[in-house]
Amino acid sequence: MTEHWVGASGNVGDSLNVHDPLVGEWRQVWMSNGWYIDYTGGLDDDGAMVLTGEAYTIPTDTRAPLRGTWTPNADGTVTQRFEQGDAEGNWTTVFVGLYVPESDDPRAAEAATARGE
């Protein structure tokens, strides 16, 4: 599956999401004008999708461990959390987002217009 997104600040990016049968894990490669992310993983014991790998920040030419977690919520939404690791193995949250069903999104029409639909 491919994804193209446009952020609220105007950033744009693309990702490729596949299940890799060679290793039995999900893999996402994510590219934008400022980041390159490559990570793999699968469902944890609580049913959340957890992918771990590395993020490369293009403007600063730096690399860091990255973990993305997608947690289903009881109301049908999904919480997305990105955490960046440091040299000591500590994780810091760098982004939290919430996916909502399109039918529940009060800004669905605005998003469709932004996508050119």
Side-chain angles (χ1 to χ4, degrees):
M1 175 180 84
T2 59
E3 171 189 32
H4 177 72
W5 59 269
V6 177
S9 64
N11 292 343
V12 297
D14 295 284
S15 67
L16 176 63
N17 304 274
V18 296
H19 185 263
D20 184 341
L22 299 175
V23 296
E25 292 186 323
W26 284 93
R27 181 173 184 187
Q28 182 180 74
V29 177
W30 191 86
M31 298 136 301
S32 76
N33 54 348
W35 290 80
Y36 175 84
I37 299 169
D38 188 356
Y39 50 4
T40 59
L43 296 179
D44 68 10
D45 292 338
D46 296 322
M49 173 69 77
V50 181
L51 303 179
T52 57
E54 185 175 59
Y56 172 66
T57 306
I58 296 165
T60 60
D61 191 29
T62 56
R63 297 170 181 255
L66 188 76
R67 177 171 56 207
T69 305
W70 293 260
T71 305
N73 301 310
D75 64 358
T77 62
V78 174
T79 300
Q80 177 186 37
R81 177 181 308 274
F82 289 145
E83 299 170 288
Q84 188 169 323
D86 65 17
E88 290 79 40
N90 301 306
W91 293 93
T92 301
T93 299
V94 294
F95 175 82
V96 176
L98 184 69
Y99 290 92
V100 299
E102 187 174 12
S103 59
D104 295 340
D105 184 358
R107 297 180 64 191
E110 178 184 346
T113 300
R115 292 189 302 268
E117 298 174 356

